[in-house]
């Protein structure tokens, strides 16, 4: 049974890091994804990254931007692009539209099951940090393809204007 509350689990063994997203994954979990991207970039012995979305009911665009950041964090450190496992047609379509096939290998089922997944703690964040992460995530998505650039340009411009206003006051 799928729990609709968003959660992120992780496991690392024998050079394979598995990140499992469950339920409705939204911007409230982006601080956790951001920290994982930073930690993965520095993880010794990392050989493979797998992101499992089979128990995911929804991933918002901010969370997708941070998944792209995770992939970019390990570029050059792993020999193959990170893999995303997604068997939900709606999630697969979303990944396709966002251009994730450029930075991930997309599959419907894993080659092997990961064991010993543990829940990652949700990292609290304030409004300004959240706004920065939303802006960063959408800038990353805009770099993936023209569709994303057109889709998210108004949001990015609005967030940049809010940021400028908050720093000017």
């Amino acid at each position: 049974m799928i729990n609709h509350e968003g959660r992120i689990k992780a496991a690392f063994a024998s050079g394979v890091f598995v990140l499992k997203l469950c339920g409705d994954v939204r911007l409230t979990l982006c601080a956790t994804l951001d920290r994982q991207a930073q930690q993965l970039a520095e993880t010794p012995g990392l050989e493979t990254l797998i992101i499992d979305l089979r128990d995911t009911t929804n991933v918002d665009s901010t969370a997708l931007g941070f998944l792209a950041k995770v992939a970019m964090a390990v570029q050059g450190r792993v020999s193959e692009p990170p893999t995303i496992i997604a068997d939900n047609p709606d999630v697969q379509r979303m990944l396709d539209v966002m251009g994730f096939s450029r930075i991930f290998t997309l599959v419907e089922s894993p080659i092997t099951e990961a064991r010993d997944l543990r829940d990652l703690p949700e990292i609290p964040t304030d409004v300004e940090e959240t706004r920065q992460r939303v802006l960063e995530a959408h800038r990353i998505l805009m770099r993936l393809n023209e569709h994303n650039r057109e889709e998210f340009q108004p949001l990015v411009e609005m967030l940049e204007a809010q940021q400028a206003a908050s720093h000017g006051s």
Side-chain angles (χ1 to χ4, degrees):
M1 180 174 190
I2 293 176
N3 180 348
H4 293 286
E5 179 182 337
R7 291 178 297 124
I8 301 173
K9 297 180 175 185
F12 181 69
S14 303
V16 179
F17 190 92
V18 177
L19 195 60
K20 184 173 182 72
L21 281 60
C22 306
D24 187 7
V25 179
R26 297 195 171 265
L27 64 94
T28 54
L29 295 172
C30 288
T32 303
L33 285 172
D34 194 17
R35 180 167 294 169
Q36 282 304 303
Q38 294 167 14
Q39 290 176 344
L40 281 169
E42 301 166 357
T43 300
L46 178 67
E47 297 174 12
T48 302
L49 172 61
I50 298 171
I51 298 173
D52 188 344
L53 301 180
R54 289 177 295 160
D55 290 340
T56 304
T57 56
N58 182 55
V59 183
D60 75 6
S61 58
T62 302
L64 286 171
F66 277 93
L67 288 180
K69 184 176 181 179
V70 167
M72 292 172 181
V74 300
Q75 277 183 338
R77 296 210 50 238
V78 294
S79 59
E80 298 292 327
T83 298
I84 290 183
I85 306 165
D87 57 2
N88 180 321
D90 293 334
V91 173
Q92 291 171 338
R93 187 172 27 264
M94 178 176 51
L95 297 173
D96 184 50
V97 169
M98 290 292 163
F100 271 41
S101 62
R102 290 183 54 201
I103 55 175
F104 289 98
T105 299
L106 304 176
V107 298
E108 290 184 22
S109 60
I111 296 170
T112 59
E113 289 290 334
R115 288 179 272 172
D116 301 325
L117 291 173
R118 61 179 171 78
D119 283 318
L120 294 177
E122 184 174 338
I123 299 170
T125 183
D126 65 25
V127 172
E128 183 58 31
E129 289 173 332
T130 299
R131 181 176 23 221
Q132 286 297 321
R133 287 195 169 95
V134 170
L135 185 59
E136 179 183 9
H138 288 84
R139 284 178 176 156
I140 290 169
L141 291 174
M142 288 174 60
R143 290 194 304 248
L144 291 180
N145 65 29
E146 190 59 32
H147 169 270
N148 295 350
R149 178 176 307 285
E150 292 174 11
E151 181 75 20
F152 297 121
Q153 185 69 39
L155 174 64
V156 167
E157 288 174 359
M158 181 191 73
L159 292 171
E160 288 171 341
Q162 287 178 350
Q163 184 179 41
S166 70
H167 290 280
S169 59

